[in-house]
Amino acid sequence: MSVYFIFQDVQKHSVHTLVFRSLKRTHDMFVADHAKPVSLDETSHKVKMAAKLRADYSAVLHMPVLKEGKDRPLGSNMPANQNYLQPADDPEYLITGTHAYPSGPGVALTADTQIHRNPSEGGVHAMALALPPSQARLDASRTAASVGDIHRHAVGAERPHAPHSHAMSLLEGGGTKNSSLIARKAPTMPKPQWHAPWKLFRVISGHLGWVRSIAVEPGNQWFVTGAGDRTIKIWDLASGKLKLSLTGHISTVRGVAVSTRSPYLFSCGEDKQVKCWDLEYNKVIRHYHGHLSAVYDLDLHPTIDVLVTCSRDATARVWDIRSKANVHTLSGHTNTVATVRCQAAEPQIITGSHDSTIRLWDLIAGKTRATLTNHKKSVRALALHPRQYTLASGSADNIKQWTFPDGNFIQNLSGHNAIINAMAVNSDGVLVSGADNGTIHLWDWRTGYNFQRIHAAVQPGSLDSESGIFACMFDNSESRLITAEADKTIKVYKEDDTATEESHPINWKPEILKRKRF
C-alpha cells in the first residue's frame, strides 16, 4: 500500500511581521491585567518601611511625636523623651487656623490637637544633641583656611559686630543649637588687597628658538634659561647681559633648575636626557637615564638630595642626585606628565598631567596619596605658595586653588580663557598666570581678584602668532618677574613704584561669591 504525503507551501513572513504578531499575542494574553497594581505583601511592606525609617530618620527615631494627645515614639524599640514637653500646669496656647498636628489638609482640629504645649529647655537641648552636626561646626573643625574663613576674617576687620554676632559665634564654635535656625546672608567676595601694577622693564634677546624654561640662582645674581635652540644660557640678572652658553642637549631644553645645596645646574629636554652640570667647570658630570620619551619638567627637593623629573611617558621619576639611582618611578597618570613640584612638607611631590588630573605623592612609599580630578582639561602648570600650605593649578578651563595635605578645593579663578602654560606666586599674594596666547593675568591670591592683564608686544620681526608664554618666575627678591616667550625673548617685569591706591584704584564690587565645586 502506498502512502502519499501532500506538502503545502508554508507562507513566508518577514521578521517584522512575525515580531508584531508575537507582541500582539502577548498583549492579548495579559490585556486583562493591564495597569493593574500588584497586590501588597504585608510582610515585605513592613520590612521596607523599617529599613526606610532606619536609613532616613535614624537621627530622630528616639524623639516623641504628638498624635491625638499622646506621646508616641517614632521607633517602637526607642524610649520616648519624657522631658520634651512641659508639665501640664504650664499655660496652654489655643491654636487658631491650620496647624501641623492634624492628620491631613482640610481635617478639622480636635480638642487635643488645638492645644499647643511649648517644649521645655531640656527637650530643646536633647533635640539639638540628636540632630546631625551643623555645617558651622564642620567648618570650624577644618584645619586649613577656607574661602568662608577668609571672608569672615575680612568682614570682621572692616565692619563692627552686629547685635547677633555673639549668637553666631556660639553657633560656629560648636554650640548645641542648630545653626540652620538662623537665616544666613549670602557670602560676598571680600575686598581684595591692593597690589601695585606691574610694567615691562626689560626685553632680553639671544636665543634662536622658543624660550621654554627659567630658573634663578639662590644668590639672585644670575638666572638661566633653556630654549628650543638646544642651548642653555646664563644671564646677569641686574644688567640682562649674557654670561655663558652651555651646549649638550640635542633637542629642545624643557626644564632647568639650580640647586640651593650644591653648585649644580640640572636640565632636561625632549631628547629624553636629564643632565647635571657642574657650574665650577661648566661641564656635564652626571646623566640620569630611564625616561622613555621627552622629559618636560624637573624640580629639586628643597631639603634632601633628590631630583624629580616628569615625562611624556606618563611617569615621574625620583633620582638620587649623587648615585644617579632611579629611587622611584611614580606611575599612575594616563597621559603626559607636564609639570612637577617638590616641597619639604607632605605631600612632598605634586604632579600635573595632560590626563586632567593632579596627583599628590608619598615620597617614601612612591605611591599616590590623593588624585584631584576637578579639572576638565590638561594641567600644565602648578604653583606652590611660599608661605601658605596651599597650591594653585592652571588649566584651560580654570585656575584652581587647593589646600594641603589632602588637596581640599578652595576656589576657582576664572577669566584667563586660554591654555595656561606657566604660573608663579610671591609672598605678597600676587599670582601670575601666563598663557599660550601671550597674555599674562595677575591675581590676588586670597580673593581670586584679577587686578591686571598684560599682553606685551612681540619682538620686532616676529609674527603676532608667536606671542606665547612658556615659563614665568619671580626672582628671589620677588621684585622682578621673568617670563620666557615664544618670540625668542625673555621679558622682565617690575612693579610700578609710582603707582598708589588712589591712582590705580581697585575696580571691585562686593558681588555674591560663587564657589564652584568643580
Side-chain angles (χ1 to χ4, degrees):
M1 185 177 69
S2 300
V3 178
Y4 297 95
F5 294 94
I6 300 173
F7 294 96
Q8 292 182 347
D9 291 337
V10 178
Q11 186 178 359
K12 293 182 179 180
H13 295 284
S14 67
V15 175
H16 179 273
T17 304
L18 294 173
V19 170
F20 182 76
R21 286 185 177 180
S22 176
L23 285 172
K24 188 174 184 305
R25 283 196 296 269
T26 307
H27 178 267
D28 292 341
M29 184 181 300
F30 295 104
V31 70
D33 296 330
H34 182 63
K36 186 176 180 181
V38 180
S39 58
L40 182 67
D41 180 40
E42 193 66 29
T43 306
S44 63
H45 181 68
K46 285 182 179 179
V47 172
K48 175 185 173 183
M49 295 310 293
K52 187 172 179 64
L53 273 174
R54 283 196 302 273
D56 296 347
Y57 304 104
S58 58
V60 293
L61 276 179
H62 65 286
M63 294 172 60
V65 60
L66 189 64
K67 186 174 181 181
E68 300 301 330
K70 298 178 182 178
D71 290 346
R72 184 181 64 81
L74 285 171
S76 58
N77 58 342
M78 303 293 285
N81 189 341
Q82 300 299 328
N83 297 324
Y84 182 68
L85 295 175
Q86 286 185 339
D89 54 357
D90 278 4
E92 295 178 339
Y93 296 86
L94 189 65
I95 305 299
T96 58
T98 58
H99 195 262
Y101 288 160
S103 55
V107 180
L109 294 168
T110 65
D112 290 325
T113 58
Q114 69 181 358
I115 301 301
H116 175 67
R117 298 181 176 86
N118 282 337
S120 66
E121 284 296 327
V124 170
H125 185 70
M127 176 180 172
L129 288 177
L131 291 173
S134 68
Q135 186 61 38
R137 264 182 275 170
L138 293 176
D139 288 343
S141 66
R142 292 173 60 186
T143 55
S146 66
V147 172
D149 301 330
I150 295 169
H151 163 65
R152 285 194 292 272
H153 176 73
V155 173
E158 295 167 9
R159 188 176 61 196
H161 291 293
H164 66 281
S165 60
H166 179 65
M168 287 297 291
S169 63
L170 280 176
L171 293 174
E172 292 173 0
T176 56
K177 293 187 179 180
N178 189 4
S179 62
S180 63
L181 299 176
I182 295 179
R184 291 185 177 184
K185 285 180 65 178
T188 56
M189 178 185 285
K191 186 175 181 179
Q193 178 187 347
W194 183 82
H195 300 284
W198 291 70
K199 63 182 183 180
L200 184 62
F201 168 62
R202 177 177 285 135
V203 178
I204 302 171
S205 301
H207 276 294
L208 302 178
W210 290 353
V211 188
R212 301 302 302 245
S213 51
I214 303 172
V216 180
E217 66 100 9
N220 215 41
Q221 299 296 312
W222 48 267
F223 68 95
V224 57
T225 55
D229 59 7
R230 305 177 304 229
T231 64
I232 299 166
K233 292 184 183 289
I234 295 175
W235 311 84
D236 183 71
L237 186 57
S239 65
K241 293 181 179 178
L242 180 64
K243 293 168 70 76
L244 182 69
S245 291
L246 301 172
T247 57
H249 281 281
I250 57 173
S251 189
T252 302
V253 181
R254 292 295 293 261
V256 287
V258 183
S259 174
T260 58
R261 299 164 56 85
S262 53
Y264 294 155
L265 165 68
F266 296 87
S267 64
C268 64
E270 293 180 4
D271 51 10
K272 311 178 195 176
Q273 296 183 33
V274 181
K275 297 175 183 285
C276 173
W277 304 77
D278 189 327
L279 294 177
E280 292 178 350
Y281 299 97
N282 299 331
K283 291 182 179 179
V284 177
I285 58 169
R286 297 188 185 103
H287 287 91
Y288 302 90
H289 296 286
H291 278 297
L292 306 177
S293 190
V295 186
Y296 277 7
D297 197 9
L298 80 171
D299 199 17
L300 290 161
H301 195 284
T303 56
I304 56 178
D305 289 329
V306 159
L307 170 70
V308 185
T309 57
C310 63
S311 168
R312 198 167 59 196
D313 62 11
T315 67
R317 291 178 185 260
V318 182
W319 310 90
D320 184 311
I321 289 175
R322 299 184 183 280
S323 69
K324 301 180 285 186
N326 185 185
V327 179
H328 289 303
T329 299
L330 307 178
S331 55
H333 284 294
T334 57
N335 206 331
T336 300
V337 185
T339 180
V340 62
R341 289 291 175 269
C342 296
Q343 62 179 4
E346 291 291 344
Q348 296 182 52
I349 300 174
I350 307 100
T351 56
S353 170
H354 287 192
D355 64 9
S356 77
T357 67
I358 302 161
R359 285 181 181 256
L360 315 181
W361 299 89
D362 184 337
L363 176 58
I364 297 171
K367 294 181 180 177
T368 305
R369 284 172 55 102
T371 304
L372 313 180
T373 60
N374 300 37
H375 280 292
K376 298 178 178 63
K377 299 289 180 70
S378 301
V379 181
R380 299 168 185 257
L382 299 172
L384 303 175
H385 196 287
R387 291 184 180 174
Q388 297 178 17
Y389 197 33
T390 50
L391 162 79
S393 58
S395 176
D397 55 359
N398 266 315
I399 297 171
K400 296 179 185 289
Q401 290 178 331
W402 317 83
T403 61
F404 292 130
D406 300 320
N408 296 321
F409 175 79
I410 303 176
Q411 65 180 349
N412 277 330
L413 280 63
S414 301
H416 203 167
N417 302 317
I419 298 171
I420 295 172
N421 287 325
M423 289 199 304
V425 59
N426 67 12
S427 300
D428 286 338
V430 175
L431 174 66
V432 180
S433 57
D436 226 29
N437 59 3
T439 58
I440 300 171
H441 284 207
L442 292 96
W443 314 77
D444 177 48
W445 179 274
R446 182 173 66 93
T447 60
Y449 172 71
N450 180 204
F451 69 88
Q452 189 181 4
R453 299 182 180 188
I454 303 171
H455 192 172
V458 296
Q459 182 177 219
S462 298
L463 301 172
D464 287 339
S465 58
E466 287 188 301
S467 177
I469 314 293
F470 289 122
C472 64
M473 188 175 189
F474 287 100
D475 73 347
N476 292 323
S477 70
E478 298 185 337
S479 62
R480 299 287 185 272
L481 171 66
I482 309 167
T483 62
E485 310 211 1
D487 62 357
K488 306 172 189 174
T489 66
I490 301 142
K491 293 186 173 73
V492 183
Y493 295 83
K494 70 173 184 178
E495 283 185 325
D496 187 352
D497 299 331
T498 62
T500 62
E501 194 164 356
E502 289 75 24
S503 63
H504 292 78
I506 299 174
N507 184 19
W508 166 80
K509 295 177 182 178
E511 300 170 346
I512 299 299
L513 185 65
K514 296 177 181 177
R515 287 191 64 194
K516 297 179 183 176
R517 184 62 195 160
F518 296 104

